[in-house]
DNA sequence: GATTTCAGATGACAATTGTCACATTCTTAT
DNA sequence: ATAAGAATGTGACAATTGTCATCTGAAATC
């Protein structure tokens, strides 16, 4: 498995070469320290995988990846990051990168490379754990932590469907006044001002 | 690395045991062929990873995973599938599974297991390529098709943040009355009744 | 130059909304 | 049996909201 490593910090590049080659299954055919290096090394060596830092002083890893993927959409690019920065990761995903690994997590680098080599994509749990939330459009949020009762939650859900008090009342077989009272309590508990903020809260916490 | 393997087809379970243990790094401590087996084996052996088929005749792997994850959210569950079925995969993601591997792809099983063991999550490229689209949803919706102008869209966005008319007016340097007029037009264009429905509409079309 | 268009504003109005204080049940625990 | 509590309801009130007809001034169009 031929790999090109690109990291802003040259020392990291060399260390990685040592670590990776110690596995006996990876051959580091090039080490670079800028986005431009990444492009040049990739085009010259055509490695199986390009392992690259996201943040680099000269050209960002993302920009480099964009250029590489534009000319070779099959390029397997795996990012190395220090922190999992949402914005970056999502941009990386969009452009078709194969994942990212936290630098701290040395032991997982070789297995991750192999998984990518075999056509998988690899991500840290922190990102993956957020994906479901992003995908999930129709689930009811859990408001119990705010001391919201079952009935109150029902009303919240109806407000979040755009119903007015009269409609909610008739849907739940309550008087309109009761619905108002409930709503008043709900707003107090959630520290919100009006039903629109409640709907917003609902969807932002969905 | 202790692994429990569960597959509808007993032969697959045994074959996997052979393949996995040949690597010298995996110890298959249990083989099952139903969702119930998965639950029992998981609770008994507390393996590092549960490798499980999604489709099984008696209890689906997803149902079993749900039960296991309910009592042990840290459980590392990796699904084996024959085809990458969107619905299933997304449900698996939602409940916190660590990924899935196509059965055909024998070579990638061991590396994927190791990546998961090291805290990563692993997915086939087909799913990953769809995630960006799903994530894309967190951007401002495009209302132009409803004949909504730039300014109107601004107001919609502020309503969707929960602002009242006075706040919107001061944010956009308009009079409150103007904001009301805008809103009135917006509601007319979108065939909605009030600002709450507008906020709801915003998030549903996000 | 006259006219139309458009963004913004005003004021009036009714409807809806949120708040509050106070009833009325009905259940439950003491 | 009584007190406490919920769940539900009422009426009054002010604030916010949505609608509408109308006005202004500037820019664009003719």
């Amino acid at each position: 498995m031929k790999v090109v490593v690109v990291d802003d910090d040259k020392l990291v590049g060399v260390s990685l070469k040592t670590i990776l080659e110690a596995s006996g299954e990876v051959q580091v055919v090039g080490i670079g320290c800028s986005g431009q290096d990444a492009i040049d090394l990739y085009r010259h060596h055509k490695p199986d995988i390009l392992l690259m830092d996201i943040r680099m002083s000269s050209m960002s890893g993302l920009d480099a990846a964009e250029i590489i993927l534009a000319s070779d959409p099959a390029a397997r690019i795996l990012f190395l990051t220090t922190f999992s920065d949402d914005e970056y990761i999502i941009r990386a995903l969009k452009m078709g990168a194969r994942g990212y690994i936290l630098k701290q997590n040395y032991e997982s680098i070789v297995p991750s490379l192999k998984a990518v080599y075999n056509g998988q994509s690899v991500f840290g749990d922190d990102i993956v754990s957020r994906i479901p939330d992003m995908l999930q459009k129709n689930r009811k949020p859990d408001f119990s932590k705010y001391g919201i009762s079952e009935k109150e939650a029902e009303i919240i859900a109806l407000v979040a469907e755009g119903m007015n008090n009269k409609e909610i009342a008739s849907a739940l077989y309550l008087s309109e006044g009761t619905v108002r009272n409930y709503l008043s309590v709900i707003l107090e508990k959630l520290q919100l001002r009006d039903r629109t903020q409640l709907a917003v809260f609902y969807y932002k916490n969905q």
Side-chain angles (χ1 to χ4, degrees), chain A:
Chain A
M1 183 184 347
K2 288 195 302 177
V3 175
V4 163
V5 176
V6 177
D7 195 294
D8 202 27
D9 182 347
K10 287 181 187 176
L11 187 58
V12 172
V14 177
S15 313
L16 277 173
K17 181 180 164 78
T18 308
I19 294 173
L20 297 181
E21 298 198 329
S23 75
E25 304 183 69
V26 179
Q27 183 195 355
V28 175
V29 297
I31 300 180
C33 62
S34 73
Q36 191 56 54
D37 284 357
I39 298 172
D40 296 341
L41 287 169
Y42 184 83
R43 298 213 164 131
H44 185 253
H45 294 290
K46 288 278 174 189
D48 294 307
I49 299 173
L50 170 57
L51 187 59
M52 175 163 56
D53 196 8
I54 284 192
R55 297 192 207 203
M56 291 185 289
S57 49
S58 65
M59 185 201 291
S60 128
L62 288 169
D63 295 332
E66 205 152 56
I67 291 168
I68 292 170
L69 286 164
S71 64
D72 180 2
R76 285 182 275 209
I77 300 178
L78 193 51
F79 285 107
L80 272 172
T81 67
T82 310
F83 306 103
S84 64
D85 185 327
D86 265 36
E87 289 306 306
Y88 289 162
I89 300 297
I90 288 174
R91 212 185 123 200
L93 275 173
K94 281 183 192 167
M95 68 173 66
R98 298 307 178 91
Y100 81 97
I101 312 174
L102 291 181
K103 282 186 193 174
Q104 295 87 343
N105 210 351
Y106 279 120
E107 325 78 51
S108 81
I109 297 182
V110 172
S112 295
L113 278 174
K114 281 202 273 184
V116 169
Y117 184 67
N118 285 302
Q120 304 292 112
S121 291
V122 176
F123 301 91
D125 283 346
D126 43 351
I127 274 291
V128 173
S129 66
R130 267 197 298 278
I131 290 177
D133 287 340
M134 301 170 174
L135 299 180
Q136 207 135 16
K137 294 232 68 174
N138 297 321
R139 93 171 193 284
K140 294 190 182 170
D142 175 25
F143 292 133
S144 55
K145 56 184 160 185
Y146 300 99
I148 295 293
S149 74
E150 196 58 43
K151 192 128 217 159
E152 287 166 342
E154 267 186 279
I155 290 181
I156 293 176
L158 297 181
V159 168
E161 285 302 313
M163 287 188 178
N164 64 21
N165 291 331
K166 194 178 302 225
E167 288 166 339
I168 295 173
S170 102
L172 299 183
Y173 304 105
L174 296 173
S175 81
E176 192 185 331
T178 305
V179 173
R180 287 195 200 169
N181 288 337
Y182 269 114
L183 215 26
S184 195
V185 172
I186 291 168
L187 295 176
E188 169 67 25
K189 282 184 182 171
L190 299 179
Q191 314 245 56
L192 300 171
R193 186 211 293 148
D194 54 47
R195 67 202 300 108
T196 305
Q197 290 194 340
L198 179 58
V200 171
F201 182 83
Y202 180 93
Y203 287 104
K204 291 211 166 174
N205 286 278
Q206 196 180 53

